[in-house]
């Protein structure tokens, strides 16, 4: 049985920690929406909206979107009726100031960090390849295309996403350590922080998270 005290959950971790996958599982189990600020920004970019145009360069450079833009998006999203029974918020907050803002708009019940080492993050992201035509993701080690370097579906030459180049991965990890990690103490002080080891397989990590939320 789930611990019903856990209504509003945030989940964070370095790039490629699997936080998005685990957020999906959690949201489904709890029957609440999975809200990912990264996904919101990528949707806006794909849709060619004003906001998308504003943030595209920032995402490609591996930097954080300014707080005043991100905070407003999160506030609006959390005010929607589907969040009334709770939510799983992924990729936000990403710095202390966002954590302070979130504190004013919602009561966070559980802050989960999915931890992986920098070496693991570099290894996981470094192997990613994408089809520029249909968007299918591949991984050299975990999910390779049948023929090296080309998409199984349309034969297009696979590419490395701008924000997944070696240099940008390092920038994103640096941002994570400098800007996001301080939120750990913020949530520790509130007694709602739990660290999950993200190094094992997806299903093992899910089991560990389930143990936390079923306590
Ligand atoms: P993610 O998919 O969570 O790694 O997010 C992808 C990118 O979206 C990040 O590298 C940032 O550029 C941007 N982004 C996502 N969430 C936030 C946030 N909470 N604050 C600022 N920028 C964000």
């Amino acid at each position: 049985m789930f611990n019903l005290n856990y209504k509003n959950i945030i989940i964070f971790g370095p790039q490629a920690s699997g936080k998005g996958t685990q957020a999906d599982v959690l949201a489904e189990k709890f029957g609440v929406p999975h809200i990912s600020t990264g996904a919101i920004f990528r949707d806006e970019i794909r849709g060619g909206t004003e906001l998308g145009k504003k943030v595209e360069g920032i995402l490609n450079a591996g930097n954080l979107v300014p707080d005043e833009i991100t905070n407003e998006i999160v506030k609006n999203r959390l005010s929607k009726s589907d969040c009334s029974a709770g939510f799983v918020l992924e990729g936000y907050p990403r710095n202390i100031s966002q954590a302070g803002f979130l504190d004013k708009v919602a009561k966070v019940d559980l802050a989960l960090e999915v931890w992986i080492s920098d070496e693991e993050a570099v290894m996981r992201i470094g192997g990613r390849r994408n089809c520029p035509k249909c968007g299918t993701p591949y991984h050299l080690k975990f999910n390779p295309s049948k023929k090296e370097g080309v998409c199984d579906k349309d034969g297009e030459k696979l590419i490395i996403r701008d924000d997944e180049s070696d240099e940008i991965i390092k920038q994103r990890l640096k941002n994570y350590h400098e800007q996001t990690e301080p939120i750990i103490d913020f949530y520790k002080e509130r007694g709602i922080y739990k660290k999950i080891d993200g190094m094992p397989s997806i299903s093992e990590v899910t089991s560990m998270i389930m143990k936390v939320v079923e306590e």
Side-chain angles (χ1 to χ4, degrees):
M1 190 49 203
F2 295 130
N3 183 334
L4 297 176
N5 291 326
Y6 295 147
K7 211 169 124 265
N8 301 334
I9 300 175
I10 63 161
I11 183 162
F12 63 99
Q15 287 66 47
S17 59
K19 64 183 160 54
T21 309
Q22 301 299 343
D24 254 346
V25 175
L26 260 181
E28 211 203 306
K29 300 237 184 218
F30 276 85
V32 298
H34 165 196
I35 300 164
S36 155
T37 42
I40 293 174
F41 290 133
R42 280 189 292 275
D43 280 349
E44 296 283 337
I45 293 171
R46 220 174 293 122
T49 65
E50 275 306 303
L51 174 62
K53 286 183 196 136
K54 224 189 238 174
V55 301
E56 186 168 13
I58 302 175
L59 265 80
N60 285 343
N63 289 322
L64 292 186
V65 174
D67 289 345
E68 53 279 19
I69 297 178
T70 314
N71 288 344
E72 211 46 40
I73 286 170
V74 170
K75 186 176 166 197
N76 288 338
R77 183 62 190 86
L78 296 186
S79 70
K80 299 244 160 76
S81 58
D82 65 342
C83 291
S84 59
F87 55 77
V88 177
L89 181 56
E90 177 227 327
Y92 182 99
R94 253 187 165 86
N95 59 33
I96 286 285
S97 133
Q98 292 182 2
F101 181 86
L102 180 61
D103 228 21
K104 290 192 214 117
V105 295
K107 180 183 166 288
V108 176
D109 303 307
L110 177 65
L112 283 176
E113 181 197 14
V114 184
W115 177 89
I116 58 169
S117 68
D118 283 9
E119 294 73 31
E120 179 74 8
V122 169
M123 196 274 288
R124 289 186 187 180
I125 309 176
R128 286 186 187 166
R129 298 291 181 272
N130 278 275
C131 174
K133 200 166 162 195
C134 70
T136 304
Y138 296 91
H139 192 282
L140 295 180
K141 187 167 162 202
F142 307 119
N143 175 31
S145 55
K146 290 197 186 86
K147 189 170 165 231
E148 204 188 319
V150 294
C151 181
D152 292 348
K153 293 183 184 155
D154 50 30
E156 194 76 12
K157 193 164 175 283
L158 300 179
I159 56 154
I160 297 174
R161 255 172 46 183
D162 280 349
D163 65 343
E164 291 182 346
S165 67
D166 278 354
E167 197 188 322
I168 302 299
I169 296 168
K170 293 206 179 97
Q171 178 62 38
R172 290 169 75 188
L173 286 171
K174 186 166 174 274
N175 288 344
Y176 184 78
H177 295 308
E178 288 177 4
Q179 300 184 48
T180 307
E181 270 176 359
I183 73 171
I184 293 174
D185 281 343
F186 184 96
Y187 290 112
K188 263 188 191 164
E189 277 163 25
R190 286 162 172 73
I192 57 169
Y193 166 76
K194 294 267 184 214
K195 181 173 182 169
I196 304 287
D197 181 3
M199 298 288 272
S201 69
I202 293 175
S203 59
E204 282 171 276
V205 177
T206 301
S207 306
M208 287 190 275
I209 293 180
M210 286 306 134
K211 273 200 197 111
V212 168
V213 297
E214 284 168 359
E215 262 167 16

